[in-house]
DNA sequence: TATGAATGAGAATTCATTCAT
DNA sequence: GATGAATGAATTCTCATTCAT
């Protein structure tokens, strides 16, 4: 068996499948998703799905693996040479943009992690852990230089992740509370989060 | 059919079942949970489970309904007459305590909401929505009185929920980044969140 | 999980299933057999089959394991203290009786072995190999004592197995050649095999 | 549709396919064999296989039909004019040679027959039956002429088939008993079978 | 001829639920 | 109350076969 070199045709179909799979996995979790559902969403037959991805697990893995890079980009862009406040403000913005434009991807990961991350624990303890360690060091330096209030850098990152991804992962709750038609949601979120993270609740002067 | 008045015996068995169900539902989500798994965890037979709760759905509903109250308590305790900063600090603390001591409950809700809340949307738009509306008004007053920096009160609540529940819902990720044996996790989290929410990242001279 | 102690009810159902499974496996081989077919033959639903035997493989294994003993009995009964000629004559008879009365069992093993014995090779190299070694020694002594013409004892056993089981395993061919209605088949077979094995084809003076 | 006159190219490809098919069918039986497996073994694509043989059944049929002739040759060569003892000795030898050199063919037939010969019953009741009838008559004459001990000629043939094909069909069992590395297997088998068939076990003074 | 892509008809297995005791 | 037994409705995956190129 020679490794099948992806023809354009094949690549297109794979992309179509992964898009459908992302729809379904992000909405129902791995167990809740069915190949029937994905096949429907992709507009093709179930066996044909399995012609491209050997198993349901395989499809899920391809999604997770393919998206992890995208998911870490905003943090990778955090620049040690930049102004700390502006760097973090920009990071929050980028993360919020991702939650806004890629909510399915966010929920895909959230589903996985909440259920114990059986399929991506390796990635978490590897790639993610290492990137966090690197960037935490950057933040630690900023704090040491008094350019940032003293803060635990890792827990700061947790807080940024949690608050931004909240708008993707807990969308139905956000909508239930704000009303589903609140179009300004992300703008208000951005203003609020920036204000909170940078200046806090306690009135200054 | 008269509604069966619960004997103490019955209540005890129901509690045992719900505890087992909480284990399983919170770990695998509704679809991923199996009655076999719950029966195992409860140490009883599957049909006996269904003697107490007619369907799987019923069991899940009983859990969600029974826990919603507990889940909202910290917010209900937010006191308009108290000092804003201290009230919010205490609220963050209470939420973090809940994440620490009731992670299963947190994940139960998180699973449900991420997957579109098919079974609790009514509760979100009803009870939760109304409580948030009430407490948002309290916060809005505090801001108007300049006792709090200007902030959108609802998004502030989102931020508190997100950051505190993160330690329950995304536990595996937190452990992967911090190392699974970090015993100080919740203490550091509390200090970090208080500092962030109250004072922000920008150094105060 | 405590090991389920077999109630009489359970034992009866298991027996019913195994009988049906023997029908189907012996007729179609492992791969050719379907749970649908077995369920039909057993007069029960497919899932109920799997309530008793976890997998198709399990069912097949239970059959093979349960029958191996029966299958080896005739050889075990070969008595070193008896008269060689009479012992071997009796052995041929017993083997032929088994082929006559348990053709399904014979075909079950034949199917398995022809296809490389993926599921019973261990038994062949273990239990069967050891029993053959023991009985071969007996025969070897008989030859050494000039009570039997010189013969390789293991190949002799092969010949006895092959000729007797032929009437079970190759039944359709036997029927096609003899006519399906030949009721004397086994009697003639017995006479022929005894004559052949004991005296051979060459006329004695 | 005119019958495609086979070009040499076509014939070569067909032969390659049939060789692969023989591998797979003989090892797994008809149901257990997959076109994927055959395509792999033949080094070509599945659809191409079906370009040459319309269906799986067709491929199997071509094999059985094409090999039946070869399979009957040794019996056809039994010569009424020869010396009975020598003729039968030679027949046993030829059959054993076939088991030795064409074990796949032997197993192909064995698989088929054990499972009720759904695809070759016609051949068995026709060509095989007739050839056996003819040669049985020859043997019957030899017995009548006292050149052979009295024996049922058809059952004699059964015995010769069974004992010789045993070394092909039950190869794994033979190997398990003798040890897989016994290179003298066929030589010993030949000596043993000749001795048994011709002279029997009872010592001749 | 040859092959990548596609599919309908199974086939094994899972699982919530029902039945009988 | 409690449980062993039973089942229908999925659900994942396989496989012979067809289609398009």
């Amino acid at each position: 068996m020679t490794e099948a070199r992806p023809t354009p045709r094949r690549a297109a179909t794979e992309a179509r499948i992964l898009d459908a799979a992302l729809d379904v996995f992000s909405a129902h979790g791995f167990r809740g998703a069915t190949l029937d559902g994905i096949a429907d969403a992709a507009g093709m037959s179930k066996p044909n799905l399995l012609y491209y991805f050997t198993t349901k697990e395989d499809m899920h893995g391809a999604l997770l693996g393919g998206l992890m890079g995208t998911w870490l980009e905003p943090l990778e862009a955090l620049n040690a040479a930049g102004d700390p406040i502006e760097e973090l403000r920009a990071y929050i913005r980028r993360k919020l943009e991702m939650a806004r434009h890629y909510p399915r991807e966010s929920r895909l990961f959230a589903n996985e992690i909440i259920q114990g991350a059986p399929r991506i624990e390796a990635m978490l303890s590897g790639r993610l852990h290492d990137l966090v360690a690197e960037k935490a060091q950057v933040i630690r330096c900023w704090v040491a230089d008094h350019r940032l209030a003293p803060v635990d850098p890792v827990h700061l990152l947790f807080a940024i992740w949690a608050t931004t991804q909240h708008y993707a992962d807990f969308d139905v709750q956000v909508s239930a509370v704000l009303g589903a038609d609140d179009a300004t949601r992300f703008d208000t979120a951005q203003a609020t989060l920036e204000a909170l993270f940078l200046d806090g609740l306690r009135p200054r002067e």
Side-chain angles (χ1 to χ4, degrees), chain A:
Chain A
M1 294 294 122
T2 61
E3 183 68 14
R5 179 174 30 118
T7 64
R9 169 93 185 261
R10 182 177 186 98
T13 310
E14 279 181 0
R16 182 153 61 104
I17 292 175
L18 288 179
D19 186 68
L22 180 53
D23 261 13
V24 177
F25 280 130
S26 69
H28 303 100
F30 181 75
R31 286 288 303 269
T34 70
L35 290 185
D36 265 313
I38 298 173
D40 261 21
M44 66 178 64
S45 74
K46 231 179 333 177
N48 201 23
L49 239 49
L50 297 165
Y51 175 74
Y52 287 90
F53 298 92
T54 338
T55 64
K56 184 186 174 184
E57 189 103 19
D58 187 26
M59 211 171 337
H60 195 245
L63 268 181
L64 289 171
L67 295 173
M68 183 54 96
T70 318
W71 215 239
L72 297 181
E73 260 173 36
L75 183 53
E76 273 159 358
L78 195 78
N79 179 12
D83 173 67
I85 292 296
E86 288 317 308
E87 283 296 321
L88 288 168
R89 186 204 304 277
Y91 179 49
I92 291 167
R93 252 180 225 182
R94 286 195 300 271
K95 282 295 289 179
L96 203 54
E97 283 305 293
M98 298 214 60
R100 179 180 213 154
H101 296 298
Y102 303 101
R104 299 180 305 171
E105 285 78 352
S106 186
R107 279 196 285 268
L108 182 78
F109 282 112
N111 258 310
E112 189 62 13
I113 292 170
I114 289 187
Q115 296 186 8
R119 283 164 278 268
I120 53 163
E121 209 172 16
M123 267 193 263
L124 297 183
S125 322
R127 206 166 154 191
L128 177 68
H129 173 274
D130 296 346
L131 180 61
V132 167
E134 175 199 334
K135 297 303 181 180
Q137 194 48 41
V138 169
I139 297 172
R140 215 168 273 122
C141 290
W142 287 339
V143 170
D145 294 347
H146 303 288
R147 306 170 70 192
L148 225 48
V151 71
D152 183 284
V154 177
H155 287 265
L156 169 61
L157 291 178
F158 289 162
I160 295 175
W161 298 347
T163 49
T164 52
Q165 292 176 10
H166 187 81
Y167 291 92
D169 303 345
F170 290 72
D171 173 60
V172 275
Q173 181 172 269
V174 168
S175 291
V177 169
L178 291 178
D181 52 346
D182 177 1
T184 65
R185 174 183 314 182
F186 275 94
D187 298 327
T188 313
Q190 185 182 309
T192 306
L193 291 178
E194 283 187 20
L196 273 175
F197 275 105
L198 301 189
D199 294 310
L201 290 167
R202 204 189 311 270
R204 303 213 169 198
E205 84 265 24

